[in-house]
């Protein structure tokens, strides 16, 4: 990965931090996108130390804010002329409905819409860097999801799990539609399920039921480690085996079947149109 520039969102903890470390060990220039400066600096210094790679950079942005994403894209453009690998990984889980400054339900905004906007804003650089790869961290729970256009932001009826599943289905639909739109550009788009990984995703949700939190803590030793959870990301980012492979869903470094709904073209196009409106972006894709 020498000479490759990789941007990893949500690189301050969990799977994203492990992916950033893995890419750094492979010799890539790694740009870590974190929302909290202190956590970001801590992760950055650990990654530099563990990888021996000094080409690691930190950008701070809140992916729950459209304005912050726009600033992030500008900051990135200012510093870099190329982007070979974009890892859209950052995510949140909330049992209760959280609203962003833009008035959107937070899981839909961070887990999905931020990826749509960031990818769009960086796409010209990514295309210029082809062959390039876009990797979206989705999840197996996408299979339980449905896109409820009548109540996309859960205003009328909210359930944390349902909103999470919806955001993950949106990630898979987005990946496939993006791949279709990028055909012939040398840019691939794939998504993945990282496994059930011992991270702090659920710990950060102060409303997550205490009993389930306790069970999760007890189960941690048998779950995948963040490094194991990052393996499929690193495979998709670097392996010659997936050169040119696009519009696929991966589990454990293997091509896998995503849900029948995730292949619904009309659903994907409708979601795309709604996402353009919600992000105020007349997509360049
Ligand atoms: N863990 C699993 O079993 C599992 C399973 C399937 C899919 N996934 C997916 O894997 C991805 C990574 O999750 P994880 O388990 O590694 O959780 P995690 O350890 O909580 O990591 C999430 C990352 O996203 C960042 N983030 C959250 N909100 C953000 C915002 N508004 N702006 C910028 N960054 C933000 C977090 O920053 P902070 O450090 O500041 O919180 C953190 O770096 C998520 O998309 C998740 O849905 C995880």
């Amino acid at each position: 990965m020498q000479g490759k520039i990789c941007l990893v969102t949500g690189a301050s903890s969990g799977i994203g931090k492990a992916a950033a470390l893995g890419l750094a060990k492979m010799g890539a220039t790694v740009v870590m996108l974190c929302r909290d400066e202190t956590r970001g600096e801590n992760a950055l210094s650990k990654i530099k130390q563990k990888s021996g790679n000094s080409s690691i950079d930190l950008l701070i942005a809140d992916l729950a804010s459209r304005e912050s994403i726009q600033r992030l894209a500008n900051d990135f453009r200012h510093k870099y002329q190329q982007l070979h690998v974009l890892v859209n990984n950052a995510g949140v889980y909330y049992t209760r409905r959280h609203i962003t400054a833009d008035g959107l339900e937070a899981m839909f905004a961070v887990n999905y819409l931020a990826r749509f906007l960031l990818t769009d804003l960086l796409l010209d650089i990514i295309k210029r860097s082809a062959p390039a790869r876009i990797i979206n961290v989705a999840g197996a729970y996408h299979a339980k999801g449905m896109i409820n256009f009548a109540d996309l932001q859960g205003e009328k009826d909210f359930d944390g799990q349902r909103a999470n599943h919806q955001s993950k289905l949106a990630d898979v639909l987005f990946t496939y539609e993006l791949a279709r739109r990028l055909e012939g550009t040398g840019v691939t788009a794939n998504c993945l399920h990282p496994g059930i990984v011992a991270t702090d995703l659920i710990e950060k949700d102060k409303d997550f039921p205490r009993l389930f939190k306790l069970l999760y803590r007890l189960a941690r030793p048998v779950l995948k480690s963040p490094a194991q959870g990052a393996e499929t990301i690193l495979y998709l980012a670097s392996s010659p085996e997936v050169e040119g492979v696009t519009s696929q869903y991966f589990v454990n470094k293997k091509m896998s079947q995503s849900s029948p709904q995730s292949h619904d073209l009309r659903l994907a196009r409708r979601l795309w149109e709604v996402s353009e409106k919600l992000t105020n972006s007349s997509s360049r894709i």
Side-chain angles (χ1 to χ4, degrees):
M1 293 295 281
Q2 293 278 350
K4 301 280 184 195
I5 300 172
C6 307
L7 173 60
V8 182
T9 74
S12 53
S13 65
I15 298 163
K17 184 177 170 189
L21 174 61
L23 291 166
K25 282 183 175 167
M26 291 176 189
T29 294
V30 182
V31 184
M32 301 167 60
L33 181 278
C34 301
R35 67 174 155 179
D36 181 273
E37 189 145 17
T38 309
R39 272 203 296 280
E41 291 286 1
N42 284 340
L44 174 85
S45 68
K46 282 204 184 102
I47 289 173
K48 275 189 177 168
Q49 192 192 343
K50 282 189 183 169
S51 66
N53 182 344
S54 57
S55 299
I56 320 288
D57 196 1
L58 174 65
L59 293 178
I60 303 297
D62 179 3
L63 294 172
S65 153
R66 220 163 34 213
E67 196 191 326
S68 186
I69 296 169
Q70 267 147 0
R71 216 173 316 120
L72 159 69
N74 289 340
D75 290 351
F76 185 90
R77 292 169 169 288
H78 226 79
K79 287 182 141 179
Y80 300 95
Q81 274 72 52
Q82 290 195 299
L83 178 56
H84 303 97
V85 177
L86 170 61
V87 182
N88 283 312
N89 161 78
V92 283
Y93 186 92
Y94 294 122
T95 299
R96 290 203 186 168
R97 190 166 179 265
H98 281 58
I99 304 300
T100 68
D102 299 327
L104 301 169
E105 188 280 309
M107 278 189 276
F108 187 79
V110 176
N111 298 359
Y112 163 64
L113 210 57
R115 298 165 177 208
F116 180 89
L117 181 58
L118 183 62
T119 304
D120 183 38
L121 292 172
L122 294 177
L123 206 72
D124 54 344
I125 299 189
I126 300 175
K127 280 184 183 163
R128 268 208 314 270
S129 316
R133 304 176 182 196
I134 298 168
I135 300 162
N136 293 324
V137 180
Y141 286 129
H142 79 274
K144 294 188 170 195
M146 55 172 276
I147 309 290
N148 183 5
F149 288 108
D151 189 21
L152 210 46
Q153 309 302 328
E155 284 161 296
K156 293 180 200 146
D157 180 25
F158 181 80
D159 174 83
Q161 278 190 10
R162 207 170 55 214
N164 186 258
H165 299 163
Q166 174 177 260
S167 71
K168 291 295 157 187
L169 173 60
D171 284 334
V172 183
L173 286 162
F174 166 54
T175 305
Y176 295 163
E177 183 61 25
L178 180 64
R180 281 189 282 274
R181 290 175 188 236
L182 288 173
E183 251 171 52
T185 62
V187 181
T188 60
N190 292 295
C191 57
L192 66 118
H193 170 54
I196 305 300
V197 187
T199 67
D200 288 340
L201 187 70
I202 277 162
E203 295 289 342
K204 291 173 191 171
D205 173 24
K206 63 180 180 10
D207 300 308
F208 200 81
R210 277 168 57 187
L211 175 64
F212 290 114
K213 240 182 206 177
L214 185 68
L215 291 173
Y216 182 77
R217 279 177 204 153
L218 291 171
R220 276 183 93 108
V222 298
L223 304 183
K224 277 189 178 183
S225 67
Q228 289 169 326
E231 280 175 6
T232 302
I233 299 176
L234 296 177
Y235 172 74
L236 288 173
S238 64
S239 174
E241 283 173 26
V242 284
E243 183 79 60
V245 172
T246 193
S247 203
Q248 299 295 330
Y249 171 72
F250 284 78
V251 182
N252 289 330
K253 300 195 275 185
K254 298 246 167 359
M255 236 179 250
S256 188
Q257 275 301 326
S258 59
S259 70
Q261 244 206 330
S262 70
H263 294 285
D264 184 329
L265 288 179
R266 282 177 55 198
L267 185 62
R269 292 204 179 120
R270 187 168 172 202
L271 178 66
W272 191 281
E273 281 162 21
V274 170
S275 305
E276 281 182 333
K277 284 191 187 118
L278 288 172
T279 53
N280 277 343
S281 70
S282 59
S283 166
R284 285 161 282 257
I285 302 171

